[in-house]
Amino acid sequence: DIQLTQSPSSLSASVGDSVTITCRASQGINRYLNWYQQKSGKAPHLLVCGANSLQSGVPSRFSGSGSGTDFTLTISSLQPEDFATYYCQQTFTTPRTFGQGTKVEIK
Amino acid sequence: EVQLVQSGAEVKKPGESLRISCQASGYTFTSYWISWVRQMPGKGLEWLGRIDPNESDVKYSPSFQGHVTISHDKSISTAYLQWSSLKASDTAMYFCARIDSSGFDFYAFDMWGQGTMVTVSS
């Protein structure tokens, strides 16, 4: 199975801050890396697919980059509604796997 | 409106059987795969498997193969996840999710059901 390691596991930030979450794959996955946001008690929501393609309706302050084994999700100016847990996922091969999650909390 | 609507919360005893459902609407059911994802209390996301409603083809995660069964009924645009003998460790929230089988979106999970909470306790 392909392992995805996210860092950090959690972070505290203020509204307006820029934050970056990284996701490292245990082997190359081309651009088959997706990012999801999950708010407490809710289903995950797709933000970015194919490493850098922003989903329709997702604010432009979110951006993704990377290819191969190293990927990042950046939120350029954190808003109150962005405080949530973020997961990366690889869809290069089965079984699909997720990172362990990064919880973004209010400082 | 495109949506996946899951069946309601369940409380079961160990050893009992269970089937939960995920009904799709607003799109062509056979053009998208459906995956099931588990989230144990306070934990992360785990992929159980997926079904291709067009081919009736199912792929399971090795971690869950043999313990769950994924099926579907095209006539009512519904996918199912079932257990023949539940364990306390099956207590979790279960989500269904849609995947564009063309691969255009890198097989991302672009729409999710609201989740079904399954509690297994004696």
Side-chain angles (χ1 to χ4, degrees):
Chain A
D1 298 5
I2 295 176
Q3 311 300 318
L4 297 179
T5 304
Q6 285 182 236
S7 61
S9 296
S10 64
L11 64 91
S12 295
S14 300
V15 172
D17 285 353
S18 175
V19 301
T20 297
I21 301 168
T22 66
C23 179
R24 175 162 288 174
S26 58
Q27 64 188 76
I29 56 172
N30 200 321
R31 287 173 48 213
Y32 285 82
L33 192 286
N34 312 304
W35 290 97
Y36 300 86
Q37 177 193 67
Q38 187 179 33
K39 297 184 179 178
S40 183
K42 301 292 188 182
H45 174 67
L46 178 64
L47 298 174
V48 171
C49 70
N52 59 21
S53 296
L54 205 63
Q55 282 296 102
S56 174
V58 175
S60 59
R61 62 181 179 273
F62 290 91
S63 63
S65 66
S67 181
T69 60
D70 293 303
F71 303 86
T72 60
L73 175 72
T74 299
I75 311 172
S76 60
S77 177
L78 209 58
Q79 297 301 300
E81 60 268 29
D82 301 336
F83 292 95
T85 301
Y86 294 84
Y87 293 94
C88 58
Q89 176 208 33
Q90 66 81 19
T91 48
F92 182 73
T93 189
T94 56
R96 307 309 199 205
T97 49
F98 293 87
Q100 81 278 16
T102 296
K103 187 172 184 178
V104 176
E105 298 175 300
I106 301 172
K107 183 182 285 184
Chain B
E1 180 191 5
V2 175
Q3 57 179 351
L4 299 174
V5 177
Q6 297 185 228
S7 50
E10 301 274 2
V11 179
K12 293 288 190 179
K13 291 181 166 41
E16 291 185 331
S17 62
L18 175 64
R19 188 177 77 168
I20 62 175
S21 66
C22 170
Q23 184 166 38
S25 61
Y27 72 93
T28 302
F29 183 62
T30 51
S31 295
Y32 292 79
W33 301 338
I34 295 285
S35 270
W36 287 94
V37 175
R38 181 175 83 172
Q39 187 166 39
M40 299 177 78
K43 302 298 184 182
L45 304 170
E46 301 172 274
W47 182 74
L48 281 74
R50 70 99 176 122
I51 188 163
D52 176 355
N54 191 45
E55 304 280 341
S56 297
D57 174 55
V58 183
K59 285 195 186 297
Y60 293 97
S61 165
S63 299
F64 294 94
Q65 178 124 33
H67 187 55
V68 298
T69 301
I70 295 172
S71 60
H72 76 292
D73 184 338
K74 270 194 293 192
S75 68
I76 54 171
S77 300
T78 298
Y80 301 100
L81 178 67
Q82 67 183 67
W83 297 259
S84 58
S85 181
L86 286 159
K87 305 175 184 178
S89 57
D90 292 318
T91 295
M93 180 73 82
Y94 292 86
F95 296 101
C96 62
R98 186 186 82 159
I99 302 104
D100 184 344
S101 59
S102 73
F104 179 76
D105 286 342
F106 292 82
Y107 303 109
F109 295 13
D110 71 346
M111 174 68 60
W112 294 65
Q114 83 278 18
T116 297
M117 184 66 206
V118 174
T119 303
V120 184
S121 174
S122 54

